Amino acid sequence: MKQSEIKELSVAELQEKLGETKKSYSDLKLAHAISPLENPIQLRAMRRTVARIATELTKRELQ
């Protein structure tokens, strides 16, 4: 998910998206621990998406 897409979402949508993304990241991480993923870069991309969403939420709370 790109930063421009994240900025367009409302706070409620961001919180929902953050929960979904964290869940899918933990599922992906568990799957990778059991058997290696075909594309382990997915883990990095998912982790960065979680960070982008969390950063945007924090930024909006401070405004």
Side-chain angles (χ1 to χ4, degrees):
M1 180 171 257
K2 294 183 179 181
Q3 188 66 28
S4 59
E5 296 170 353
I6 293 172
K7 286 183 179 182
E8 294 173 0
L9 299 174
S10 70
V11 174
E13 290 172 329
L14 282 173
Q15 290 171 340
E16 181 182 330
K17 197 67 143 166
L18 183 62
E20 292 172 3
T21 310
K22 280 186 175 180
K23 172 85 172 93
S24 58
Y25 173 67
S26 64
D27 292 343
L28 201 61
K29 202 167 143 182
L30 182 65
H32 184 62
I34 294 171
S35 65
L37 292 174
E38 190 173 309
N39 185 6
I41 301 300
Q42 290 174 322
L43 290 170
R44 184 191 315 164
M46 191 79 66
R47 188 173 59 244
R48 288 180 178 180
T49 301
V50 168
R52 282 188 190 105
I53 295 171
T55 301
E56 184 65 25
L57 276 171
T58 304
K59 186 173 119 182
R60 291 185 187 188
E61 285 176 5
L62 295 175
Q63 287 180 348

